[in-house]
Amino acid sequence: VVGRGVNRRHAMLAHVLLSGVGVGLSGMLAPRLGLVNLGSALLLWGYSARFKRVALVGNVTIATLTGALVLLPELHARTGQQAVWVYALAAFLLTVVREIVKDVEDMRGDAAHDCRTLPIVWGVARTKWMAGFFLACLALLVAGAGLEALRAGRWLLGAWLLVLVLAPLGLLGVRLARADRRRHFAALSGWCKVLMLAGLLSMLWAGHP
């Protein structure tokens, strides 16, 4: 733990060195990868120093990093697969939802550390509406992708998206509307993880009819 078993300066030096090596190696593969990883390193530093204490900014920062992670192979290989961008957007939206839900779950601890997260600034009720907005955007995206897959004859992918991703998203929305206790939001955070796994597994069918 930094500050107890690990010297803070040593930890910061290791962070800078490892980040620099990562950015350098990715830049050797392709300049655009180096730029993306440099931006990611800067965002992580900003999140640690400031963003995580600011309403919605911290949530969007983590979601942006998650979406960028999905895009990295495509940025290097340049296959032209449009589905990669859909998955990246889906990862962004679902991560925003989960980060907002986690803020509600952890609002007592965040308040003790003077964080200005959404539930602290807006209250739980308005925060649930914000999470619901991103969840609705994700549901529309998944529904569109699933129907498009069916139209193109990709039955396995379409069925997977509509039955194993979209339907649980609807259930998540219902539970979000009813949630009013910390344990409810902890359960919602777990549901988001399951949905992330279901979305990732759908990639197995993305290239097959």
Side-chain angles (χ1 to χ4, degrees):
V1 178
V2 176
R4 297 180 182 178
V6 179
N7 182 276
R8 186 171 183 271
R9 289 186 177 181
H10 292 168
M12 292 177 66
L13 178 61
H15 166 73
V16 172
L17 289 176
L18 290 172
S19 296
V21 170
V23 171
L25 289 174
S26 61
M28 291 172 62
L29 288 172
R32 54 184 169 274
L33 290 183
L35 289 174
V36 171
N37 281 317
L38 176 60
S40 297
L42 293 174
L43 276 178
L44 281 171
W45 176 82
Y47 178 83
S48 177
R50 174 63 180 167
F51 298 158
K52 65 182 179 181
R53 296 179 175 85
V54 181
L56 195 58
V57 175
N59 310 129
V60 172
T61 297
I62 295 300
T64 300
L65 291 169
T66 304
L69 183 62
V70 176
L71 285 177
L72 282 177
E74 172 61 21
L75 291 175
H76 176 53
R78 304 296 288 270
T79 64
Q81 292 286 337
Q82 296 299 318
V84 176
W85 296 89
V86 176
Y87 276 106
L89 179 56
F92 171 84
L93 292 171
L94 184 54
T95 303
V96 171
V97 173
R98 181 171 181 268
E99 289 296 312
I100 292 175
V101 167
K102 283 178 57 184
D103 280 347
V104 179
E105 180 187 355
D106 300 334
M107 61 184 299
R108 290 184 180 178
D110 288 339
H113 288 85
D114 296 323
C115 295
R116 302 287 292 171
T117 59
L118 275 180
I120 295 174
V121 175
W122 283 11
V124 174
R126 293 177 65 186
T127 298
K128 286 168 59 176
W129 277 106
M130 177 61 73
F133 168 76
F134 285 104
L135 191 62
C137 291
L138 177 59
L140 289 174
L141 179 67
V142 174
L147 293 174
E148 177 61 24
L150 292 177
R151 187 193 66 80
R154 297 188 170 189
W155 306 106
L156 289 175
L157 177 61
W160 187 285
L161 291 175
L162 296 177
V163 176
L164 296 179
V165 180
L166 183 61
L169 276 176
L171 182 58
L172 178 65
V174 172
R175 293 195 171 191
L176 175 63
R178 296 176 178 175
D180 59 2
R181 298 183 183 277
R182 186 177 184 276
R183 58 185 175 86
H184 295 161
F185 292 98
L188 289 174
S189 180
W191 265 97
C192 288
K193 292 179 182 179
V194 173
L195 282 166
M196 289 178 182
L197 178 60
L200 286 172
L201 291 177
S202 73
M203 292 181 177
L204 295 173
W205 311 112
H208 300 281

